[in-house]
Amino acid sequence: MSAPTPLKRRKGGMTPIEPFVSTTNACKMCKPLGACLAFLGIEGCVPFLHGSQGCATYMRRYVISHFREPVDIASSSLGEKQAIHGGGPNLKLGLLNVMKKYGATCIGVATTCLTETIGDDVSMLLHEFRKEFGDLPLPALVHVSTPSYGGTQAEGYQAALRAVVDQLAGSEAATSQVNVLPNFVSCEDLRHLADVFDHFGLDAALLPDYSERLDGGAQEDYVKIMPGGTPVARIRTMGGARATIELGRTLDPAKSAGGLLAERFGVPLHSLGLPIGLRETDAFFDTLCTLAGRPTPRRYELARGRLVDAYVDGHKYLSGKTAVVYGEEDLVVGLCAFLAEIGITPVIAASGGESGRLSCAVKAVTDGLLRQEPEVREGVDFYEIAARARELKPDLVIGNSKGYRVLAKELGIPMLRVGFPIHDRFGAQRVQHLCYAGTQALYDSIVNTVIDKKQTDSDVGYGYI
Amino acid sequence: MKPAIFEQRSKQIVQKREGDEFSIACNRDSLAGAVSQRACVFCGSRVVLYPIADALHLVHGPIGCAAYTWDIRGALSSGPELHRLSFSTDLREKDVIFGGEKKLEAALLELIAQHKPNAAFVYSTCIVGIIGDDVGAICKKVSAATGIPVIPVQSEGFKGNKRAGYEAACRAMMQLVGTGDTSGISPLSINILGDFNLAGEIWIIKEYYERMGIEVVATITGDGRVGDLARCHGAALNVVQCSGATMDLAKMMQEKFGVPVIRASYFGIEDMSKALYDVARHFQDKDPGIMARTAALVKEELSVLLPRLAELRKDLEGKKAAVYVGGAFKAFSLVKCFRHLGMKVVVVGSQTGTEEDYKELAAITDEGTIIVDDSNPLELARFVKDLDVDIFVGGVKERPIAYKLGVGFCDHNHERKEALEGFVGMINFAEEVHRTVMSPVWRFTPRRRGSLQPVTALDAAACASTVSPEPAKEAAS
Ligand code: SF4
Ligand code: SF4
């Protein structure tokens, strides 16, 4: 592991004081949570945490509060005995139970801090399991090592995707499929991406795709595993795809699924930023045009036109405003790209993640548009973000719910909720962020947030603003 | 009906039959691979201690354990709000290899200097138990250096279930109890134990006791303070709320300081009244007027509550409920509450009930009621559907199951934002039940497809005829 960036407390401007050892109000979650989310995007897949019960229950609760859908995360439920003697027997018993009772066609095993520390060799245990129970119809078994002391949920998400591709994809015959690795985006974003590829006539294999499992319809019966998700068969053929599009500017191909597909199977990799804002979306659509060999469908040309028109119509409400932006690194980069376009300076761009790539990525997407460079903070907690925000007095808070009380409420500034988790608003699964449509939705929300503040703060009772 | 989906769990699900000897298997480790609704030891400790608002709560471990418990429950404070911040040592790989003691010490020192708490609790999580940090020694050292109590909580997640966490929390609090000055405490005084002041509930209860003429020394732990805990052994009585979370503390205080204990539940009409009367009875020798004052209080509260309840009951009569909560005592109260609404509890269970608890549940429920220990989503869903319930009462993890299947829901867990305790809480509860059960939305869900009526077809002529033609003329003539 690379040495963690020392956390600097700053007081009175930019003078760094004593590095802080503890974390107060974390702006991150733990690695296995990300892995579970990725596994939930595979058809028939049950995420399985190898560790003690508490972690699984906490993560379920966390995910459920965002998506408002049933989320099952199994656990090997290690107790004291197993923690000392090894969790192998519990892991196997747990896998059998999940197979039998859930009818899982895929099980994604993620380790936790406990099992990493006691040194369980999950790869070997799964090998034994396959041998011992080879007579049964076994599900696809995937495992990923996710000690949370080695990264955040974002790394866990990417590690799980890489593990899935590593362990399932084969060098099948060439297909017309385009692998799409969309990053951790909302269910609505996933649906929109699927539409976009459809309209381009491209055969997209979206991985993961939890859009149906985590935002599905009402059911008559309890469905053990909600329908939807990337079929395992589609993952198996990823090695023969004509291209991979991987979204996220801070991803390292050496650790990403797209990188592995390129390395092992020679699938050409198109690394792009999350398509948020005009330019990142243009870049995304350009890539699609090239792949599809056709121009952007008219409906998206129109959407783009409306977006530029809206940028103009609303510019005066926003020009010169400042914002604090935080969350997963790739999302922060996307938001900065967008904010820079509409005249809002992201004075603080922060993340609990520590990829080491955030600064460079933010600079790349904001260069030439901002008069003041954003202060980029990696590996920070909300305590630090708030301390800095108190000094910089931004006009807007943009990020997940966790910043509400300690930032927005504390500083008395309006907040726009994006990303994950959104625990204090309705419809988190359907928040749009991506492409022209998502950017339009974000843009309208931001303008309205600013107007709402102006209207509420004024005694006049403006009916036109 | 015995829908044991996992054979190994069949003894943890029992249907009440009149005349049968009741027995249920419980307090087992959760089954590997079943998605248990249970949490861990750490969760139990955190729940109990976290409302102590002027203490520093430092989670020693990797980030997740602290992140997922950051301000998740609405335990309110009338003063400091240090408990609503999330502190973690955020252990990294090198700490796991070389040990986390140094980091823990530095973290404690800097956080204490920064926030000036009146005490600090240090929670051990799973890997701390494995890497073998001597948390106790660090706490002692920091306590000596800072002059405040720094108390280790032995809450390694894997060392049992939530109940073990309650015990660890009680042992931790016991280190504070008895260290403060008890002078000036009224002979008519109590501690309220086992209430976490969700949605301000402890303020409601405290006000009742004060109206009865009783001094509340410490609220444990809702709206809790370190100083109150230190002197709470001076109270004349410990009143322990149902959940059992703080029962161990009461027992320890009884042993060490001779403070007597009574149990109480503040949910529902009978249990709420009984709690007040029991306390009054305890003090009637010292204050002969207290029984009458209590009776007057109950009467006054009921005069508001009963008429409203009668109104709501009209709609709810005959509807069916499923109850699945953390502790069994809450389940008792809920069974009684539903009776007041004319509703039937057809399935009831808990995460951590004991055999005794379940026997008592069996005694107060109706024939045929299913009683279940440590359930899971598959089972719960099966009950909801097969028993055709109208409302599910549970925690946030059960809500989506209920909603997905088209069943009403009431959040009776620690995340609730409505006060459900006290007489006023009974009204809130009844109203919440009414709101969810009586909503028209269920008719559109697949489960109730049969009852969906299409809208009446648009009939322009019929609508037009209701407008009187040219009223102006009529008026003129
Ligand atoms: S132990 Fe690790 S995996 Fe479990 S909740 Fe804590 S940080 Fe996450
Ligand atoms: S690591 Fe242990 S203490 Fe932390 S949430 Fe998981 S089970 Fe609980």
Side-chain angles (χ1 to χ4, degrees):
Chain A
M1 196 182 86
S2 60
T5 334
L7 306 183
K8 298 271 192 310
R9 281 284 138 166
R10 286 158 201 263
K11 259 189 201 149
M14 297 289 290
T15 344
I17 60 159
E18 283 287 284
F20 229 55
V21 235
S22 55
T23 295
T24 301
N25 303 335
C27 182
K28 61 179 174 182
M29 290 145 269
C30 74
K31 213 169 169 181
L33 177 92
C36 289
L37 286 163
F39 290 142
L40 284 166
I42 297 170
E43 190 179 56
C45 183
V46 172
F48 188 111
L49 286 185
H50 185 37
S52 36
Q53 180 65 51
C55 314
T57 302
Y58 274 137
M59 287 180 222
R60 279 182 64 217
R61 189 204 160 281
Y62 215 75
V63 175
I64 287 172
S65 298
H66 175 91
F67 290 100
R68 298 174 195 259
E69 290 280 346
V71 174
D72 287 351
I73 297 173
S75 159
S76 47
S77 269
L78 302 190
E80 196 156 9
K81 254 190 293 171
Q82 295 86 8
I84 294 163
H85 297 114
N90 264 49
L91 174 65
K92 292 176 188 169
L93 180 64
L95 290 175
L96 276 179
N97 272 327
V98 171
M99 271 165 59
K100 277 203 260 173
K101 309 302 172 181
Y102 279 86
T105 50
C106 177
I107 302 178
V109 181
T111 55
T112 61
C113 304
L114 175 65
T115 45
E116 286 288 335
T117 311
I118 63 177
D120 271 2
D121 183 347
V122 173
S123 168
M124 190 196 74
L125 289 168
L126 290 186
H127 184 72
E128 285 173 17
F129 181 83
R130 285 194 190 96
K131 272 214 298 221
E132 281 167 48
F133 299 100
D135 54 323
L136 300 174
L138 291 182
L141 293 171
V142 181
H143 67 93
V144 59
S145 162
T146 41
S148 117
Y149 43 75
T152 69
Q153 80 283 0
E155 276 96 32
Y157 189 84
Q158 297 301 338
L161 292 181
R162 186 167 167 109
V164 164
V165 169
D166 175 35
Q167 293 160 46
L168 296 180
S171 54
E172 312 278 318
T175 71
S176 62
Q177 151 180 347
V178 175
N179 304 323
V180 183
L181 307 166
N183 212 313
F184 182 31
V185 294
S186 78
C187 294
E188 194 65 41
D189 288 331
L190 289 175
R191 284 187 287 263
H192 185 65
L193 285 176
D195 282 348
V196 170
F197 280 90
D198 227 26
H199 292 138
F200 266 99
L202 289 167
D203 174 24
L206 217 58
L207 176 72
D209 180 6
Y210 37 78
S211 60
E212 198 179 337
R213 283 186 77 178
L214 295 179
D215 194 16
Q219 303 281 335
E220 173 137 27
D221 276 301
Y222 183 69
V223 185
K224 294 176 189 173
I225 301 174
M226 292 288 277
T230 316
V232 169
R234 289 286 264 178
I235 303 172
R236 293 206 193 277
T237 55
M238 280 189 157
R242 46 185 291 228
T244 302
I245 296 181
E246 189 165 54
L247 304 179
R249 277 188 181 256
T250 68
L251 298 183
D252 174 0
K255 294 181 191 161
S256 77
L260 184 129
L261 286 164
E263 236 168 72
R264 188 177 301 166
F265 304 108
V267 183
L269 174 62
H270 301 264
S271 293
L272 297 167
L274 281 177
I276 303 178
L278 202 66
R279 295 161 307 143
E280 288 283 72
T281 307
D282 284 347
F284 176 66
F285 274 78
D286 284 350
T287 307
L288 298 194
C289 289
T290 312
L291 282 174
R294 54 170 290 181
T296 296
R298 185 171 140 78
R299 65 175 75 210
Y300 298 108
E301 286 295 357
L302 291 175
R304 186 183 191 283
R306 285 192 301 271
L307 182 63
V308 175
D309 190 56
Y311 273 16
V312 172
D313 288 345
H315 78 279
K316 256 200 258 173
Y317 296 110
L318 306 183
S319 182
K321 298 270 185 224
T322 56
V324 43
V325 183
Y326 59 84
E328 290 198 358
E329 292 172 85
D330 289 322
L331 179 62
V332 167
V333 175
L335 290 168
C336 286
F338 164 53
L339 292 173
E341 290 172 358
I342 59 177
I344 297 181
T345 305
V347 282
I348 305 171
S351 177
E354 292 169 304
S355 71
R357 296 163 170 250
L358 185 60
S359 294
C360 166
V362 167
K363 191 163 169 22
V365 297
T366 56
D367 243 8
L369 284 171
L370 294 177
R371 268 165 295 148
Q372 179 194 344
E373 246 185 68
E375 209 172 290
V376 178
R377 299 293 185 113
E378 289 191 40
V380 284
D381 56 22
F382 279 109
Y383 199 81
E384 272 197 83
I385 301 175
R388 200 55 195 123
R390 235 169 267 131
E391 294 163 357
L392 293 171
K393 302 193 178 26
D395 301 301
L396 282 166
V397 173
I398 302 177
N400 58 55
S401 289
K402 297 295 124 181
Y404 167 66
R405 194 172 85 88
V406 291
L407 273 176
K409 187 165 192 292
E410 164 97 22
L411 301 174
I413 47 182
M415 167 163 181
L416 185 78
R417 286 160 181 83
V418 293
F420 176 91
I422 299 178
H423 287 160
D424 62 344
R425 279 295 180 277
F426 191 73
Q429 326 87 302
R430 292 178 291 274
V431 173
Q432 290 175 277
H433 310 78
L434 300 191
C435 301
Y436 302 118
T439 304
Q440 182 75 67
L442 286 179
Y443 184 79
D444 293 347
S445 302
I446 292 181
V447 175
N448 283 330
T449 305
V450 170
I451 290 178
D452 183 68
K453 165 114 175 110
K454 191 169 176 185
Q455 194 176 32
T456 315
D457 288 353
S458 150
D459 300 331
V460 180
Y462 287 111
Y464 289 89
I465 274 194
Chain B
M1 191 192 79
K2 191 172 263 200
I5 296 165
F6 296 91
E7 295 92 47
Q8 297 100 312
R9 284 192 30 78
S10 63
K11 288 200 170 59
Q12 283 168 279
I13 303 167
V14 175
Q15 186 162 25
K16 172 166 171 183
R17 289 264 166 264
E18 225 50 70
D20 278 9
E21 174 71 20
F22 183 86
S23 95
I24 188 167
C26 51
N27 209 6
R28 292 190 172 178
D29 287 341
S30 294
L31 180 65
V35 177
S36 168
Q37 308 288 75
R38 273 185 187 166
C40 57
V41 183
F42 163 68
C43 175
S45 295
R46 186 96 169 98
V47 167
V48 171
L49 295 175
Y50 127 97
I52 303 172
D54 58 346
L56 180 94
H57 300 268
L58 175 61
V59 181
H60 185 32
I63 198 64
C65 318
Y68 305 134
T69 51
W70 176 16
D71 207 25
I72 58 174
R73 308 188 170 208
L76 304 187
S77 164
S78 54
E81 289 200 308
L82 197 48
H83 68 302
R84 296 188 64 188
L85 303 185
S86 162
F87 302 108
S88 168
T89 47
D90 195 353
L91 293 182
R92 303 301 175 87
E93 195 151 356
K94 69 173 185 334
D95 306 315
V96 172
I97 297 166
F98 300 111
E101 293 181 6
K102 275 216 184 75
K103 194 169 193 185
L104 172 61
E105 183 179 347
L108 275 169
L109 289 172
E110 72 184 3
L111 289 171
I112 290 170
Q114 184 122 12
H115 298 284
K116 311 201 169 33
N118 291 327
F121 292 103
V122 179
Y123 302 77
S124 291
T125 60
C126 284
I127 64 168
V128 172
I130 301 293
I131 62 180
D133 281 356
D134 189 346
V135 177
I138 302 290
C139 287
K140 250 193 213 129
K141 195 168 158 198
V142 175
S143 183
T146 57
I148 63 162
V150 179
I151 302 167
V153 186
Q154 287 171 341
S155 54
E156 292 89 341
F158 60 81
K159 291 191 174 166
N161 60 19
K162 216 163 156 183
R163 192 127 41 88
Y166 297 156
E167 260 176 63
C170 289
R171 278 197 301 276
M173 282 189 282
M174 199 56 195
Q175 295 197 29
L176 290 172
V177 176
T179 58
D181 177 15
T182 59
S183 54
I185 293 178
S186 159
L188 263 62
S189 57
I190 61 168
N191 298 314
I192 304 178
L193 279 83
D195 191 290
F196 305 119
N197 203 29
L198 309 171
E201 287 171 336
I202 217 163
W203 296 326
I204 298 171
I205 307 302
K206 193 173 169 190
E207 194 245 359
Y208 293 154
Y209 285 126
E210 283 168 358
R211 273 158 73 189
M212 289 161 57
I214 289 168
E215 177 185 344
V216 176
V217 181
T219 52
I220 302 171
T221 52
D223 200 12
R225 297 292 181 277
V226 173
D228 293 346
L229 273 165
R231 68 195 287 265
C232 73
H233 59 297
L237 178 67
N238 274 334
V239 185
V240 186
Q241 153 108 315
C242 54
S243 71
T246 50
M247 198 58 200
D248 295 300
L249 180 67
K251 282 186 187 147
M252 289 180 229
M253 282 175 70
Q254 186 165 29
E255 249 167 58
K256 190 158 174 199
F257 302 102
V259 185
V261 183
I262 60 172
R263 299 186 90 151
S265 164
Y266 303 126
F267 294 113
I269 301 173
E270 293 90 347
D271 289 350
M272 183 64 240
S273 317
K274 182 174 181 298
L276 300 181
Y277 283 127
D278 284 352
V279 171
R281 206 166 294 118
H282 181 87
F283 289 115
Q284 65 182 343
D285 295 342
K286 292 183 195 161
D287 179 355
I290 196 168
M291 283 309 273
R293 283 202 302 280
T294 306
L297 184 157
V298 172
K299 197 169 159 220
E300 189 189 329
E301 294 289 333
L302 289 185
S303 70
V304 182
L305 164 63
L306 292 177
R308 180 71 187 126
L309 228 45
E311 252 170 70
L312 297 167
R313 182 175 174 141
K314 273 186 229 144
D315 295 328
L316 296 173
E317 192 83 52
K319 307 265 186 206
K320 287 183 273 182
V323 172
Y324 187 73
V325 287
F329 274 83
K330 195 187 276 169
F332 301 160
S333 295
L334 282 166
V335 169
K336 292 182 222 167
C337 287
F338 276 116
R339 279 221 177 98
H340 282 289
L341 301 175
M343 293 174 65
K344 224 178 129 181
V345 174
V346 290
V347 54
V348 54
S350 81
Q351 287 172 34
T352 55
T354 62
E355 170 127 35
E356 246 171 78
D357 294 337
Y358 290 115
K359 280 202 173 125
E360 194 173 336
L361 256 185
I364 62 165
T365 47
D366 296 328
E367 172 81 7
T369 298
I370 306 249
I371 296 171
V372 54
D373 174 59
D374 185 25
S375 198
N376 55 67
L378 285 184
E379 256 172 38
L380 292 172
R382 180 85 68 90
F383 292 134
V384 163
K385 173 149 163 67
D386 292 356
L387 302 170
D388 195 26
V389 304
D390 297 285
I391 183 172
F392 193 102
V393 184
V396 67
K397 294 188 293 288
E398 284 82 47
R399 182 176 58 203
I401 302 172
Y403 283 175
K404 193 90 306 202
L405 298 175
V407 182
F409 183 82
C410 170
D411 185 355
H412 210 287
N413 215 313
H414 292 273
E415 287 90 11
R416 64 175 178 264
K417 304 290 176 288
E418 300 277 349
L420 297 178
E421 292 181 4
F423 299 105
V424 58
M426 180 69 203
I427 299 186
N428 291 343
F429 175 69
E431 274 171 355
E432 188 171 345
V433 171
H434 189 271
R435 262 201 306 280
T436 181
V437 169
M438 299 311 293
S439 167
V441 297
W442 311 122
R443 292 185 222 174
F444 313 119
T445 63
R447 192 166 79 105
R448 296 277 159 79
R449 199 178 280 127
S451 64
L452 179 64
Q453 287 175 352
V455 288
T456 322
L458 190 150
D459 181 348
C463 288
S465 68
T466 62
V467 182
S468 57
E470 299 175 63
K473 241 184 218 165
E474 255 169 54
S477 69

